[in-house]
Amino acid sequence: LAASKAKGRHVKAAADLVAGTNVVVETASALALLKHSTDELCLCCLRPLPSESTTRAGERINLLGGSSSSKTSAIKCARCIKQAFYCSDTCKNDDAKRHALECEVLRDLPGITAAANVDYTLMRLVLAVLVQRSMELSGAAAVRENTSADLVFDLLSHRKTCDPKWLACVEECAEDFAQHLPPELAIPVSDIVSLACRINSNSHGIIDPTGNTNGEVGVGMFPLVAMLNHSCAPNCSFVSSTHGKMIVRTLRPVKEGEELCVSYVDLCTPRDERRGKLLETKHFWCACSRCEPSDSSDSSNTDSHLDALLCTSCNSPESFHSPTNDFTCQTCSLQISKDQHTHLTHEAESSYSNAHDLFKARHNDSAITAFNQFLEKYSTVLHPGHSLLLNTYATMTSAFMRLHKFPSVVKYGRLAINSMSQYVPPNWPELADFWFRQAEVLEILGRAVGEGVVTVDEASVAFEESLVSTDKDDVSLFILEEALKAYKTCWGMRSTAYGDDHTRT
């Protein structure tokens, strides 16, 4: 741990580290499940709640390896009305002392938060921190490994820079919330507000530990993990594991003395969007190597491609206008005005949004038509690395997946992978997820060709060049070999990012 005026508290490598090194392993000092996960995961161990036996593995397996099941034997607390579920009597008993302190408050919490228009999960995490700290101070619970709820109160609150409207709602909620706290948990209303601010600025999402989805299932406080600063070119990433642990692992080799950084935002969005998001949610202006490169005019700086327009005079990916070079072409020095750049970008964003709205409404065929029209009009206007094109490829992959049009899924999946690879660090978990889906779909496509369900001509849509053979067995084998390569790529990335023993690996 180190500190400086420029960086504040931060973490540096004490020695040279290889890729895939566990830097921090921290149990949540307090955590809260999101509402949609409350009746899906055990409040004590975070494992999936018991479900009916549907296959020999105890799960109903769908086409692409996910699972769906219905809970039948979960144990719930009747007093707090469907806000605490457990996978077994053992977990319920293990959590009994802790839950006894929060149960009465939980019963009224939905009404308290709804009346003040404050996020339920935020205040549930406030309650969890107070409960855990009370138990640690009284000796009713041991301080958790490598962490303590008391450390949460040492984190910066950024209260002065919070959105005034949000803060007013939290203050109103805290007044009511304080009146429901038992004596063991009571703290001044102002301290409740400051704690909510600390949680809002420093909490971390807990990703589904089962590996079945990429969605968040809860939010936790990890004071040591919170010491790691952000970078838009991170050398580390977060890993959620079972039992509410947060692990930080290196994605690439790190030199002794180098700062260890993670990312708080989507790395495939333009610089201004990333900075705006960080300023709004984390209250700082990003000055990392991507946001303030040593030479912003360097055309090899791919970050500038995310919001760049092709030059109408030169019309090549090496000749473009971008906010980072004052809207001047890198090749012929042709200039366009800021208004021209804004107008074209706004038109493209509007066209993309219309197509994406159709996708969200599950009008998949109409969405694909709209996206194709978007690509026809703007693929010669936007830089090939533009964020809107990346988003289009990713969304079209999902739309074709819904329609089970696997050759097109492979085609646009490859485009999304190639585009994303420009902007994320090696072994980036989200990129590994794309490789995994690509491998699954290639496997399905290869088997479908071998069984005659998909013709060789139909399968050729998936590849840039015509398939070398027209024999379905040869083509099937070729596609399955491509699937194996994709699985191996994903395996290598996940082995580094998650570790060999993680569910996803």
Side-chain angles (χ1 to χ4, degrees), residues 331-449:
T331 303
C332 68
S333 299
L334 176 71
Q335 288 187 324
I336 62 173
S337 68
K338 180 180 179 180
D339 287 344
Q340 286 176 300
H341 190 283
T342 301
H343 176 70
L344 285 170
T345 301
H346 177 73
E347 280 191 335
E349 287 174 346
S350 178
S351 178
Y352 169 83
S353 294
N354 290 338
H356 197 263
D357 286 344
L358 290 169
F359 170 76
K360 288 192 293 184
R362 305 191 75 84
H363 301 314
N364 299 306
D365 287 315
S366 298
I368 289 168
T369 299
F371 276 124
N372 279 324
Q373 291 171 347
F374 168 83
L375 290 173
E376 185 177 347
K377 183 173 182 179
Y378 290 105
S379 59
T380 57
V381 176
L382 305 176
H383 191 282
H386 199 285
S387 61
L388 288 178
L389 293 178
L390 168 55
N391 292 339
T392 296
Y393 302 146
T395 310
M396 289 184 78
T397 300
S398 298
F400 280 116
M401 179 73 84
R402 290 175 179 174
L403 299 172
H404 289 183
K405 294 183 177 180
F406 299 123
S408 294
V409 175
V410 172
K411 173 184 175 180
Y412 287 99
R414 183 181 64 251
L415 291 171
I417 287 171
N418 291 341
S419 187
M420 183 186 293
S421 298
Q422 303 175 63
Y423 305 116
V424 299
N427 305 305
W428 189 240
E430 187 179 354
L431 184 59
D433 293 342
F434 271 81
W435 274 111
F436 185 74
R437 178 160 66 174
Q438 189 79 342
E440 285 187 309
V441 177
L442 281 165
E443 182 183 358
I444 291 169
L445 181 60
R447 295 187 187 283
V449 170

Side-chain angles (χ1 to χ4, degrees), residues 26-29 147-149 151-152 155 221-228:
E26 184 178 12
T27 303
S29 58
T147 193
S148 165
L151 292 175
V152 175
L155 299 172
M221 295 305 296
F222 302 89
L224 292 180
V225 170
M227 297 291 180
L228 277 84

Side-chain angles (χ1 to χ4, degrees), residues 181-198:
L181 292 176
E184 306 96 308
L185 306 182
I187 62 173
V189 171
S190 180
D191 290 351
I192 294 173
V193 175
S194 293
L195 178 55
C197 293
R198 288 186 175 90

Side-chain angles (χ1 to χ4, degrees), residues 456-493:
V456 171
D457 285 342
E458 289 170 335
S460 66
V461 171
F463 303 95
E464 292 179 351
E465 300 177 359
S466 298
L467 295 168
V468 293
S469 173
T470 57
D471 181 80
K472 71 179 180 66
D473 291 332
D474 289 343
V475 172
S476 174
L477 182 60
F478 166 75
I479 296 174
L480 289 172
E481 287 173 343
E482 291 297 304
L484 184 58
K485 291 177 187 176
Y487 276 126
K488 287 182 176 180
T489 299
C490 176
W491 180 26
M493 296 173 73

Side-chain angles (χ1 to χ4, degrees), residues 15-199:
D16 289 348
L17 304 175
V18 298
T21 299
N22 279 357
V23 176
V24 179
V25 180
E26 184 178 12
T27 303
S29 58
L31 61 85
L33 293 174
L34 300 181
K35 271 192 172 180
H36 68 78
S37 300
T38 303
D39 63 349
E40 295 178 352
L41 300 177
C42 176
L43 183 58
C44 182
C45 69
L46 298 191
R47 289 192 176 94
L49 294 174
S51 60
E52 60 184 4
S53 179
T54 52
T55 70
R56 67 179 181 274
E59 293 179 324
R60 195 181 285 122
I61 305 300
N62 69 19
L63 182 64
L64 294 176
S67 64
S68 60
S69 55
S70 58
K71 271 68 70 178
T72 57
S73 56
I75 300 166
K76 63 184 177 184
C77 173
R79 295 174 63 194
C80 56
I81 313 172
K82 298 183 180 179
Q83 297 184 82
F85 289 79
Y86 299 96
C87 65
S88 64
D89 285 322
T90 300
C91 275
K92 184 178 181 183
N93 293 334
D94 288 346
D95 197 44
K97 286 183 180 179
R98 190 202 64 82
H99 184 62
L101 286 171
E102 69 173 9
C103 188
E104 291 297 324
V105 185
L106 277 182
R107 188 170 59 183
D108 297 313
L109 191 60
I112 294 171
T113 53
N117 194 27
V118 170
D119 180 56
Y120 166 86
T121 307
L122 169 65
M123 296 310 296
R124 180 152 187 181
L125 190 48
V126 168
L127 179 60
V129 171
L130 294 177
V131 168
Q132 185 63 29
R133 186 175 74 151
S134 173
M135 293 183 68
E136 290 172 2
L137 293 175
S138 68
V143 175
R144 296 184 179 184
E145 181 186 4
N146 292 339
T147 193
S148 165
D150 204 42
L151 292 175
V152 175
F153 291 83
D154 290 334
L155 299 172
L156 297 176
S157 72
H158 300 288
R159 182 168 175 171
K160 292 182 178 179
T161 54
C162 287
D163 176 32
K165 291 183 179 178
W166 177 85
L167 196 58
C169 290
V170 172
E171 288 170 348
E172 179 187 344
C173 183
E175 291 277 357
D176 195 3
F177 180 78
Q179 295 177 30
H180 288 77
L181 292 176
E184 306 96 308
L185 306 182
I187 62 173
V189 171
S190 180
D191 290 351
I192 294 173
V193 175
S194 293
L195 178 55
C197 293
R198 288 186 175 90
I199 289 172

